[in-house]
Amino acid sequence: MPAPPQDAFAYALSSNQAWAGYKGHQNPDFFPKLASGQSPSILWLGCSDSRCPETTILGLQPGDVFTHRNIANIVSPTDINTSAVIEYAVAHLKVKHVVLCGHSACGGAAAALGDNRVGGVLDTWLTPLKALRNAHREELAAISDDKKRAVRIAELNVEAGVNVLMANAVIQDAIAERGLEVHGTLFDIGSGRIRDLGFGTGKGGLNGVSGLNGDAGDVVRGKHAMLVFRTDGAGMQAR
């Protein structure tokens, strides 16, 4: 008779204990350093989708990325929650990069492309995506593949969000005063890769995004390769 499945929350707590023990053994100063304060280089604005955990997909560590996520990574100028996160990250933490990231296979994008209501507050929240669908109806209708159509509206959503970010007074001041960079990107769940869409202040590519609390470099070693992070980019080296 198979054993009953373990409670997901109990497993998560157990996994946390193992993770904390491993990290503390690997680097005894890791948690004391985290507890002393934060100085992230990146503000990440992304989707709440469980498949898009920013620190993991960026290959970074706790303390490297300040984060705000919501359904379909919508950036609204009237959303005080998003605005508060942006103001704190940009004006107080002095992040160097603001990254807005959409993703493939987005449920919010699929809902916006459909004609059925989701129900409740979700329909209100997804109104900006519905408006994008209406504004680009001909272009989207010409895409026969449903997955590609969903990716396209996700790209349009990122572009619209970056336009809102570029109109934000706190971000405008930081761009003028200290060269803050704003990036619009898309995460492909099927490949694990992030693609720079070229929106914002960047000119394509996320090379040069420093995110290791100012460290010159960091190395994550595995059995067959090591992942090397530096301020000029990251790369995989075979062992």
Side-chain angles (χ1 to χ4, degrees):
M1 185 174 181
Q6 186 175 5
D7 177 80
F9 180 63
Y11 177 81
L13 290 179
S14 176
S15 181
N16 165 257
Q17 295 298 311
W19 171 79
Y22 171 76
K23 294 295 288 187
H25 176 75
Q26 184 185 47
N27 180 3
D29 294 329
F30 183 77
F31 291 112
K33 183 178 179 181
L34 280 183
S36 67
Q38 62 173 328
S39 56
S41 294
I42 299 171
L43 166 60
W44 177 275
L45 304 172
C47 181
S48 300
D49 194 299
S50 62
R51 300 165 294 177
C52 307
E54 67 293 326
T55 303
T56 301
I57 65 177
L58 290 171
L60 299 179
Q61 297 291 327
D64 293 334
V65 186
F66 198 73
T67 305
H68 177 70
R69 294 165 66 183
N70 61 41
I71 299 294
N73 49 272
I74 292 173
V75 180
S76 170
T78 59
D79 179 12
I80 193 172
N81 190 348
T82 302
S83 297
V85 171
I86 292 171
E87 182 171 330
Y88 184 71
V90 173
H92 297 274
L93 293 178
K94 307 293 185 182
V95 297
K96 298 176 182 178
H97 300 267
V98 176
V99 180
L100 174 59
C101 189
H103 67 94
S104 62
C106 179
L113 289 170
D115 295 321
N116 297 324
R117 292 184 178 179
V118 181
V121 72
L122 288 173
D123 286 311
T124 301
W125 179 254
L126 293 173
T127 297
L129 269 178
K130 289 281 190 179
L132 280 176
R133 175 197 175 186
N134 293 333
H136 299 270
R137 185 177 296 276
E138 291 186 7
E139 177 190 354
L140 293 169
I143 303 173
S144 58
D145 185 272
D146 291 343
K147 292 181 179 179
K148 292 181 179 179
R149 191 185 308 114
V151 167
R152 180 56 185 147
I153 196 171
E155 292 172 344
L156 293 168
N157 184 37
V158 171
E159 182 178 16
V162 168
N163 289 338
V164 172
L165 292 174
M166 295 297 289
N168 181 286
V170 175
I171 287 179
Q172 288 179 341
D173 289 345
I175 291 173
E177 294 169 4
R178 56 184 182 84
L180 174 74
E181 295 186 20
V182 178
H183 310 270
T185 66
L186 196 82
F187 174 57
D188 177 38
I189 293 178
S191 69
R193 305 284 182 174
I194 296 175
R195 175 164 53 96
D196 193 330
L197 299 177
F199 306 135
T201 61
K203 296 181 180 179
L206 284 177
N207 291 333
V209 176
S210 58
L212 291 162
N213 293 327
D215 296 340
D218 196 15
V219 177
V220 178
R221 290 185 172 87
K223 286 186 176 180
H224 306 293
M226 60 183 181
L227 187 59
V228 183
F229 298 98
R230 296 189 182 90
T231 55
D232 61 349
M236 182 72 75
Q237 298 180 7
R239 294 171 68 88

